[in-house]
Amino acid sequence: MWPQTRITKMLKIKYPIIQAPMAGGITSPELVAAVSNAGGLGSLAAGYMSPDEIRNAIINIRALTNKPFGVNLFIPEKPHTTKKQINGMIKILNKVCKPFETRINQGTDGFSFEDQIIVLIEEKIPVFSFTFGLLEKKWLKKFKNNKTKIIGTATSVAEAKILERHGIDLIVAQGYEAGGHRGNFLGNPNDSLIGNMALIPQIVDNVTIPIIAAGGIMDARGILAATLLGVDAIQMGTAFITCKESGAHISYKKALLKAKHDNTILTRSFSGKLARGIKNKYIELMEPYQDKILDYPIQHHLTQPIRKMATKNGVTNFMSLWSGQAAYLSQELTASQLIQSLNKNIEIIIKKINQ
Ligand SMILES: Cc1cc2nc3c(=O)[nH]c(=O)nc-3n(C[C@H](O)[C@H](O)[C@H](O)COP(=O)(O)O)c2cc1C
C-alpha cells in the first residue's frame, strides 16, 4: 500500500496518480472515470472542446463515477501574425500535405476561454488544472468559492514561484521528457527544457505547496524515483493513451505500442507551440520552414484539417502523435489494470529495498 501524501489527502484520492489531461479526444469520460474509480485522479482535457461538449462530458463522467476528477483548460495567448504570414503558411501546408487534397483555411474555435471556464464554475468541478500561463484572479476566486482545487503547470523554478504566489493549490512540474505541449509561459521555451531529475528537486526546494511530477514516467520505477525527489503525486500522460478506455485512434495507440526506444522530437510545426511527439513525415517535411511557423494558436488552426483528415484515415505520418520519451514502456491494459500493476510493482520494489 502506498503511503498517503499531502495530495492524496487534499484531492481525496487513494493513490497519488493523476491521469494527465490530454487534449484531442484521448481523455474520454470512460477513461477519466475508470482512473478515478481505480483510485487515481482522472482528468478531462477540455482545451479544444466547446462549452456544450465540456458540459456533456462532465455529465457523462459523473454518470460513471462518484469519485473526484479534474478538468483542464489552456490559458489563452495573443498571437502576433500578419495576413501575409498566414497566406505564406497556407501555401507551405498545401504543398507539404498535397496527398490529402485538404483545403487549408484559417479557422477558429468559435468559442472563448471565458465560455469554457464558465461551464466548469457552474458545474462546480472538484479539480481544475491549467497550462500555458497564469489564471486570472477573478476565476481563481470563483473556483475557491466552489472549493475546487486548482493545479497550474511549471517548467522552471521561476514559473513555479509565480504560480505559488498567485495562490493556486498544486503545481505540475513538467520535465523535458513530457509528451504533448510544453506548459512554459515565461521567457523563451528553449530555455526551460529541464529533465525531471534536475527539475523536480529545484522546484520542490523553492516552493512550499505540493508538487506533481510529469514527464517520462510510465512505471513503478519512475513513480518511486520521482517520489524520492520530493513530489507528492505523479501525472502520467503517455502511459494512459494506450489504455482500452482511451479515445486515441487505434493507429496512434499502435505507434506507441511498437516504440522500441525514444523516437520523439520537440516540434512547433503542428500548433506553433513547442510539443513532444513521435517523429513522422509531416515533422520532417516541415523542417525547412521552421522560421515560417506561425504563433500558437494560428498554426494549430491551420493544420487542423490535415490532422483531422489524417486521423480519420489512420495516416500516422500526418497525425500529431504526442508522446513522452518513455513510450516504449506503453502497455495495452485497462486503466484499472494499469493502476493495479503500478501498485503491485511499487510494493515489490519497496520489499526488495527493505530486504
Ligand atoms: C497526447 C497528449 C496531450 C496532452 N494534452 C495536454 C493538455 O490538454 N493539457 C495539459 O495540461 N497537458 C497536456 N499534455 C501534457 C501532460 O499533462 C503531461 O505533462 C505529459 O503527458 C507528461 O509526460 P508523459 O506523457 O511522458 O507522461 C498532453 C500530453 C500528451 C501526451
Side-chain angles (χ1 to χ4, degrees):
M1 182 65 80
W2 301 354
Q4 289 289 294
T5 70
R6 287 186 289 171
I7 292 182
T8 56
K9 284 178 204 147
M10 188 190 289
L11 301 184
K12 301 186 177 67
I13 51 178
K14 190 169 173 197
Y15 304 124
I17 294 294
I18 299 174
Q19 163 255 309
M22 291 180 280
I26 299 165
T27 59
S28 61
E30 290 75 18
L31 178 65
V32 176
V35 173
S36 291
N37 283 334
L41 184 84
S43 318
L44 174 75
Y48 300 144
M49 294 168 76
S50 72
D52 282 349
E53 287 169 336
I54 296 174
R55 199 182 302 274
N56 286 336
I58 292 173
I59 292 169
N60 290 337
I61 293 167
R62 285 192 162 131
L64 297 168
T65 185
N66 57 7
K67 298 276 191 314
F69 63 92
V71 184
N72 174 272
L73 288 180
F74 299 138
I75 302 298
E77 293 177 31
K78 286 203 178 75
H80 302 282
T81 306
T82 64
K83 189 82 195 132
K84 197 171 158 208
Q85 289 171 317
I86 292 174
N87 288 335
M89 182 46 65
I90 290 175
K91 266 197 195 133
I92 292 169
L93 290 174
N94 276 324
K95 192 165 108 190
V96 162
C97 303
K98 223 177 179 171
F100 285 140
E101 293 172 5
T102 304
R103 279 197 30 228
I104 310 293
N105 50 18
Q106 195 199 344
T108 56
D109 287 326
F111 50 81
S112 68
F113 176 77
E114 180 155 353
D115 299 335
Q116 294 175 311
I117 203 163
I118 283 172
V119 175
L120 307 187
I121 289 157
E122 285 173 356
E123 290 292 333
K124 295 190 168 43
I125 55 165
V127 180
F128 172 67
S129 69
F130 62 92
T131 186
F132 305 165
L134 290 174
L135 186 65
E136 268 187 82
K137 289 269 182 182
K138 64 172 179 184
W139 303 124
L140 208 68
K141 224 172 128 192
K142 287 185 195 292
F143 278 129
K144 296 233 162 178
N145 286 343
N146 284 350
K147 299 202 166 34
T148 298
K149 297 295 174 209
I150 307 163
I151 310 177
T153 308
T155 60
S156 66
V157 168
E159 289 174 353
K161 281 182 165 178
I162 290 189
L163 282 165
E164 176 167 58
R165 274 206 302 276
H166 212 62
I168 61 166
D169 301 299
L170 303 166
I171 296 172
V172 170
Q174 189 191 39
Y176 175 70
E177 307 89 336
H181 285 102
R182 306 281 310 143
N184 149 272
F185 62 94
L186 285 183
N188 186 327
N190 292 320
D191 293 339
S192 62
L193 301 176
I194 311 168
N196 268 332
M197 192 66 94
L199 179 69
I200 297 170
Q202 287 173 41
I203 293 190
V204 167
D205 288 350
N206 280 283
V207 298
T208 56
I209 57 175
I211 303 300
I212 301 158
I217 302 171
M218 301 282 292
D219 64 10
R221 294 170 294 182
I223 291 172
L224 285 170
T227 305
L228 285 178
L229 293 176
V231 300
D232 281 84
I234 317 294
Q235 177 156 295
M236 297 162 76
T238 305
F240 284 99
I241 300 176
T242 50
C243 279
K244 299 242 163 74
E245 300 90 340
S246 128
H249 192 280
I250 182 75
S251 9
Y252 181 8
K253 290 186 179 183
K254 279 188 185 157
L256 292 173
L257 287 166
K258 74 171 191 222
K260 296 268 181 298
H261 49 78
D262 177 28
N263 56 354
T264 65
I265 188 170
L266 283 170
T267 179
R268 289 181 63 238
S269 299
F270 282 107
S271 66
K273 187 182 270 300
L274 210 55
R276 181 176 296 286
I278 295 178
K279 192 166 180 179
N280 61 5
K281 184 106 180 175
Y282 172 81
I283 295 175
E284 267 171 38
L285 290 172
M286 289 299 285
E287 254 159 36
Y289 309 109
Q290 288 309 295
D291 59 334
K292 304 271 187 305
I293 302 288
L294 309 176
D295 284 359
Y296 173 86
I298 310 256
Q299 183 76 16
H300 160 78
H301 286 129
L302 288 187
T303 64
Q304 206 163 35
I306 301 166
R307 286 177 285 120
K308 271 197 179 152
M309 182 76 102
T311 305
K312 197 172 146 209
N313 296 302
V315 182
T316 50
N317 261 327
F318 288 85
M319 281 160 73
S320 49
L321 303 168
W322 302 136
S323 162
Q325 287 188 311
Y328 79 100
L329 291 168
S330 298
Q331 303 177 74
E332 206 177 1
L333 300 170
T334 65
S336 159
Q337 286 167 340
L338 174 61
I339 291 176
Q340 279 167 29
S341 98
L342 294 172
N343 202 7
K344 195 178 107 202
N345 289 323
I346 283 172
E347 284 182 12
I348 292 172
I349 297 175
I350 292 177
K351 240 185 224 157
K352 261 193 203 153
I353 294 171
N354 289 336
Q355 265 168 14

